[in-house]
């Protein structure tokens, strides 16, 4: 009878690889072995609030500002766009491709009511900044108390 060595963490690596694959697929990062055409990407966002505004910063490296559209409907902000590949690459034989090209769409549920008619967006150096003024009823208001 042959003895088999007991390895308590043998399957842990397989489980970790599967979890990483699932998370990579969810957030749009490239999967090992996937072709560039099969992958999708979602630009990373950062959201914070100030006293008067809700501010979103969206990373869009390599995206032309003409290829980006921002819209708002109720409490849902939509950012659509496309990162185009270089047309001069058609005659090249790629050995490795980690960058992802193509269309993207981010739907962001806003955590508070905003004034949709006063939303501003600015694009600079691959960074889109969207400023959404908070609805008037959400802004803190100072109330004076009369002392008699």
């Amino acid at each position: 009878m042959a003895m088999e060595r007991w390895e308590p963490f043998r399957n842990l690596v397989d489980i970790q690889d599967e979890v990483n694959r699932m998370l990579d697929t969810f957030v749009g990062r490239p999967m090992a072995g996937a072709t560039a055409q099969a992958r999708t990407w979602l630009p990373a966002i950062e959201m914070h609030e100030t006293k008067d505004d809700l501010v979103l910063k969206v990373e869009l490296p390599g995206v032309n500002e003409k290829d980006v559209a921002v819209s708002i409907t109720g409490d849902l902000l939509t950012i659509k766009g496309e990162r185009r590949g270089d047309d001069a690459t058609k005659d090249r034989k790629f050995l490795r491709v980690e960058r992802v090209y193509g269309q993207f769409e981010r739907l962001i549920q806003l955590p508070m009511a905003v004034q949709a008619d006063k939303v501003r967006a600015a694009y600079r150096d691959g960074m889109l900044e969207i400023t959404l003024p908070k609805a008037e009823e959400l802004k803190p208001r100072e109330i004076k108390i009369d002392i008699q």
Side-chain angles (χ1 to χ4, degrees):
M1 181 168 142
M3 292 187 63
E4 184 177 335
R5 183 177 177 177
W6 182 61
E7 296 179 35
F9 303 108
R10 174 180 37 200
N11 292 331
L12 196 56
V13 173
D14 295 335
I15 294 169
Q16 180 68 47
D17 288 343
E18 184 65 18
V19 169
N20 286 341
R21 185 193 63 75
M22 289 173 24
L23 289 174
D24 286 347
T25 302
F26 179 75
V27 297
R29 289 186 293 213
M31 299 180 306
T35 63
Q37 292 81 17
R39 295 182 285 176
T40 59
W41 73 287
L42 294 173
I45 66 166
E46 176 182 285
M47 184 186 315
H48 69 270
E49 72 175 294
T50 64
K51 178 183 165 198
D52 297 324
D53 301 317
L54 182 63
V55 180
L56 272 83
K57 292 184 179 183
V58 186
E59 290 182 359
L60 297 172
V63 177
N64 189 317
E65 66 184 86
K66 296 174 188 168
D67 293 330
V68 178
V70 178
S71 63
I72 186 168
T73 305
D75 64 348
L76 194 63
L77 180 75
T78 304
I79 304 168
K80 293 182 183 181
E82 182 175 4
R83 180 164 45 199
R84 301 177 190 276
D86 185 8
D87 289 336
T89 62
K90 292 179 182 175
D91 298 332
R92 298 180 189 161
K93 179 181 175 187
F94 286 97
L95 301 175
R96 184 176 184 121
V97 177
E98 293 183 356
R99 297 172 56 192
V100 183
Y101 299 95
Q103 296 180 347
F104 65 87
E105 181 175 14
R106 286 292 309 251
L107 303 172
I108 299 140
Q109 182 88 34
L110 301 175
M112 61 190 66
V114 297
Q115 299 177 46
D117 58 331
K118 296 183 181 178
V119 173
R120 300 178 313 275
Y123 188 76
R124 183 176 170 192
D125 297 332
M127 195 67 130
L128 174 65
E129 184 170 318
I130 304 168
T131 305
L132 304 116
K134 292 179 183 177
E136 290 296 326
E137 63 268 11
L138 294 177
K139 291 182 184 178
R141 210 178 312 174
E142 190 173 308
I143 301 170
K144 291 190 176 193
I145 300 173
D146 292 331
I147 300 176
Q148 296 177 355

